[in-house]
Amino acid sequence: MKSKLPLQFKGSNAAVSLPVVLPRGDSRKNLRRTERPTLSRMKKLGKKDVLDVPFFDRLIVVRLREEEGQFVPYIHYSYPEPEVETQPALPLFCFPDSDKITEDNTGIGSSYSFVLTDVTGERQHGYCKRVKARDSSQPQVYCIISKLGCFSLYGRLLTKLEELHSVSEAAVKGFLTGCVSQCVPAPGSRITVTQLNHLTGQFENVVIERPMDGQRLEHVQLGYLFQFLQIDQVIQLFASVLLERRILISSSHHHLSKLSSCVSCMATLTYPLHWECIFIPMLPRQMIHAVLAPTPFLIGALTEDLKEVERDLAQEEEPMLHFNLDTGQFISCYGDEESLLPTKSRDMLRSALGQAFHNLGQDVDQNNLAISQVFLLFMYKLLGHYKQHLTDYHGHREVDLTSFIPATRRYLRPLMDKVSETQALSVFSINICDPREFEQFKTLTEERHASQSHWRRTFS
């Protein structure tokens, strides 16, 4: 079993703590203590229901100031004011390309996200929208901080903030005042915020709706993957995420949005397993040495920043899977990516993803569902027999891996032997996801494809 310890990367007087996966040796007790308490798990364990969670923790506005000929990001203001000191690395994640900002390249209009992980393994999501500052030609970033992974929900909030930003700062703060009293809406629900329209002088209601799908797919657009990757490349990256390898995805600074989106997408494909290792959808230049960490990671980085560690990467003995979105090619790999999955599974995924890609439309939620169902059914074939191996451990229900792993389907057993070494499976066995949610998606997937003979043959 693997454990997490904090690792710090420092630069520009800032530090960020990241979870580092260490070899076997930590106890089951310690894994429980350091496990990341996502909202879905808090609900399952009988803690705070998501409807009692504040709409967001806070919003920060980040701007740039010039120091020694370079732009340095700083927090212009925070709303509401934080009760504790803000993590010093936070502005860097809001402007990961601060050293590349010019009059012709401001990135205004970009939307992207990042994830911060504290020393306990708990994650906070940052959702960013870059706009033009009202009092200068420089860009500024509105960043919403929340423990909830739901880009579609907060993206709608950011769109409204961008609209109000063009009116006045008072309009923005007035709207935020109405938001902070709200709680996170349940999937498929909405909240209504009453605000003063500064143009008409009348009060109006702003409705913000949360998609129906729940937390699993709310912060991603899986169709985005197929704009930049071929189907076989998606499958190879999926298998590498499943086995918790060192994975780096890069692009130029002109494509912040697509980079953070693609990295976030990859982390969702192995549901109900969750990526438990270092996860940074958009790595600031000041922390670029994180890509040299010897432990599993899933990181997005700018191509220009990687030049700083180019020599170190070339001398590394530890393999890494590195894919560049601009060229659509793997820069480096382990060498066994095409053989990680059983031939039967690989052919199934290729066929099913090809069909899903062919049917992609304009509806993001439908695209997410169609693509995720392909991977979900594969994961169900790999893990779906867990219910026959539930046991009591000091009053806590969990999966007995000693009987669960040998009971895997024969053609998937070699893959399961490798997955059994991952932290994700260890956490899954202890803090198992809500079985009703897993069964719901399994039923939906099987009904969707019940009439297609090739699905019945492949998934048998």
Side-chain angles (χ1 to χ4, degrees), residues 12 62-75 95 98-103 136-139:
S12 296
V62 179
R63 289 188 171 185
L64 298 171
R65 61 178 170 226
E66 194 168 352
E67 294 183 4
E68 299 179 354
Q70 288 189 336
F71 285 122
V72 177
Y74 70 98
I75 296 179
F95 271 106
S98 59
D99 59 323
K100 303 170 187 64
I101 298 293
T102 64
E103 290 184 1
S136 75
S137 60
Q138 292 183 2

Coordinates of all heavy atoms in Angstrom, one line a residue, residues 12 62-75 95 98-103 136-139:
S12 N 10.2 31.9 -6.6 CA 9.5 33.2 -6.5 C 8.8 33.4 -5.1 O 7.7 33.9 -5.0 CB 8.5 33.4 -7.6 OG 9.1 33.4 -8.9
V62 N -6.8 38.3 -9.3 CA -5.3 38.4 -9.4 C -4.9 39.3 -10.5 O -5.5 39.2 -11.7 CB -4.8 36.9 -9.6 CG1 -3.3 37.0 -9.8 CG2 -5.2 36.0 -8.5
R63 N -4.0 40.1 -10.2 CA -3.4 41.0 -11.2 C -1.9 40.9 -11.4 O -1.3 40.1 -10.6 CB -3.8 42.5 -10.9 CG -5.2 42.8 -11.1 CD -5.5 44.3 -10.9 NE -6.8 44.7 -11.2 CZ -7.2 46.0 -11.3 NH1 -6.4 47.0 -11.0 NH2 -8.4 46.3 -11.6
L64 N -1.3 41.7 -12.3 CA 0.1 41.6 -12.5 C 0.8 42.9 -12.1 O 0.2 44.0 -12.3 CB 0.4 41.3 -13.9 CG -0.1 40.0 -14.5 CD1 0.1 39.9 -16.0 CD2 0.6 38.8 -13.8
R65 N 1.9 42.9 -11.5 CA 2.7 44.1 -11.3 C 4.1 43.8 -11.8 O 4.6 42.6 -11.8 CB 2.7 44.5 -9.8 CG 3.3 43.5 -8.9 CD 3.3 44.0 -7.4 NE 3.6 42.9 -6.5 CZ 3.0 42.7 -5.3 NH1 1.9 43.5 -5.0 NH2 3.3 41.8 -4.5
E66 N 4.8 44.8 -12.2 CA 6.1 44.7 -12.8 C 7.2 44.8 -11.7 O 7.2 45.7 -10.9 CB 6.4 45.7 -13.8 CG 7.6 45.4 -14.7 CD 7.6 46.3 -16.0 OE1 6.7 47.0 -16.2 OE2 8.6 46.2 -16.7
E67 N 8.0 43.8 -11.6 CA 9.2 43.7 -10.7 C 10.4 43.3 -11.4 O 10.5 42.2 -12.0 CB 8.9 42.8 -9.5 CG 7.7 43.2 -8.6 CD 7.5 42.3 -7.4 OE1 8.4 41.3 -7.3 OE2 6.6 42.5 -6.7
E68 N 11.4 44.2 -11.5 CA 12.7 43.9 -12.1 C 12.5 43.4 -13.6 O 13.1 42.5 -14.0 CB 13.5 42.8 -11.3 CG 13.8 43.3 -9.9 CD 14.5 42.2 -9.1 OE1 14.7 41.1 -9.7 OE2 14.9 42.4 -8.0
G69 N 11.6 44.1 -14.3 CA 11.4 43.9 -15.7 C 10.5 42.7 -16.0 O 10.4 42.3 -17.1
Q70 N 9.9 42.1 -15.0 CA 9.0 40.9 -15.2 C 7.7 41.1 -14.5 O 7.6 41.8 -13.5 CB 9.7 39.6 -14.6 CG 10.8 39.1 -15.5 CD 11.3 37.7 -15.0 OE1 11.0 37.3 -13.8 NE2 11.9 37.0 -15.9
F71 N 6.6 40.5 -15.1 CA 5.3 40.6 -14.4 C 5.2 39.5 -13.3 O 5.6 38.4 -13.6 CB 4.2 40.4 -15.5 CG 4.0 41.5 -16.4 CD1 4.1 41.4 -17.7 CD2 3.7 42.8 -15.8 CE1 3.9 42.5 -18.6 CE2 3.4 43.9 -16.7 CZ 3.6 43.7 -18.0
V72 N 4.8 40.0 -12.2 CA 4.6 39.0 -11.0 C 3.1 39.1 -10.6 O 2.6 40.2 -10.4 CB 5.5 39.4 -9.9 CG1 5.2 38.5 -8.7 CG2 6.9 39.4 -10.3
P73 N 2.4 37.9 -10.6 CA 1.0 37.9 -10.2 C 0.9 38.1 -8.7 O 1.7 37.7 -7.9 CB 0.6 36.5 -10.6 CG 1.8 35.7 -10.6 CD 2.9 36.6 -11.0
Y74 N -0.2 38.9 -8.3 CA -0.5 39.1 -6.9 C -2.0 39.2 -6.7 O -2.7 39.4 -7.7 CB 0.2 40.4 -6.4 CG -0.5 41.6 -6.9 CD1 -1.4 42.4 -6.2 CD2 -0.1 42.1 -8.2 CE1 -2.0 43.5 -6.7 CE2 -0.7 43.3 -8.7 CZ -1.7 43.9 -8.0 OH -2.3 45.1 -8.5
I75 N -2.5 39.0 -5.5 CA -3.9 39.0 -5.2 C -4.3 40.4 -5.0 O -3.9 41.1 -4.1 CB -4.3 38.1 -4.0 CG1 -3.9 36.7 -4.3 CG2 -5.7 38.3 -3.6 CD1 -4.2 35.7 -3.1
F95 N -1.9 32.8 -13.0 CA -1.1 33.3 -14.1 C 0.1 32.4 -14.3 O 1.2 32.8 -14.1 CB -0.7 34.7 -13.8 CG -1.6 35.8 -14.3 CD1 -2.4 36.5 -13.3 CD2 -1.8 36.1 -15.6 CE1 -3.3 37.5 -13.7 CE2 -2.7 37.1 -16.0 CZ -3.4 37.8 -15.1
S98 N 2.8 34.1 -16.6 CA 3.0 35.5 -16.3 C 4.2 36.0 -17.0 O 4.3 37.2 -17.4 CB 3.1 35.7 -14.8 OG 4.1 34.9 -14.2
D99 N 5.3 35.2 -17.2 CA 6.5 35.6 -17.8 C 6.4 35.7 -19.3 O 7.3 36.2 -20.0 CB 7.6 34.7 -17.4 CG 7.4 33.3 -17.8 OD1 6.2 32.8 -17.8 OD2 8.4 32.6 -18.2
K100 N 5.2 35.4 -19.8 CA 5.1 35.4 -21.3 C 4.0 36.4 -21.7 O 3.7 36.5 -22.9 CB 4.6 34.0 -21.8 CG 5.7 32.9 -21.4 CD 5.1 31.5 -21.7 CE 6.0 30.5 -21.1 NZ 6.1 30.5 -19.7
I101 N 3.5 37.2 -20.8 CA 2.5 38.2 -21.1 C 3.1 39.4 -21.8 O 4.1 39.9 -21.3 CB 1.8 38.7 -19.8 CG1 1.1 37.5 -19.1 CG2 0.9 39.8 -20.1 CD1 -0.1 37.0 -19.8
T102 N 2.6 39.7 -22.9 CA 3.0 40.9 -23.7 C 1.7 41.7 -24.1 O 0.6 41.2 -23.9 CB 3.8 40.5 -24.9 OG1 3.0 39.8 -25.8 CG2 5.0 39.7 -24.5
E103 N 1.9 42.8 -24.7 CA 0.8 43.6 -25.2 C 0.0 42.8 -26.3 O -1.2 43.0 -26.4 CB 1.3 44.9 -25.8 CG 1.8 45.9 -24.8 CD 2.2 47.2 -25.4 OE1 2.0 47.3 -26.7 OE2 2.6 48.1 -24.7
S136 N -6.5 49.4 -16.8 CA -5.3 49.3 -17.5 C -5.5 48.3 -18.7 O -6.6 47.7 -18.8 CB -4.2 48.8 -16.6 OG -4.3 47.4 -16.3
S137 N -4.4 48.2 -19.5 CA -4.5 47.3 -20.6 C -4.1 45.9 -20.2 O -4.1 45.0 -21.1 CB -3.6 47.8 -21.7 OG -2.3 47.9 -21.3
Q138 N -3.7 45.7 -19.0 CA -3.2 44.4 -18.5 C -4.4 43.5 -18.2 O -5.5 43.9 -17.9 CB -2.3 44.5 -17.3 CG -1.0 45.2 -17.6 CD -0.2 45.3 -16.3 OE1 -0.5 44.8 -15.3 NE2 1.0 45.9 -16.4
P139 N -4.1 42.2 -18.3 CA -5.2 41.2 -17.9 C -5.3 41.0 -16.4 O -4.4 41.3 -15.7 CB -4.7 39.9 -18.6 CG -3.2 40.0 -18.6 CD -2.9 41.5 -18.8

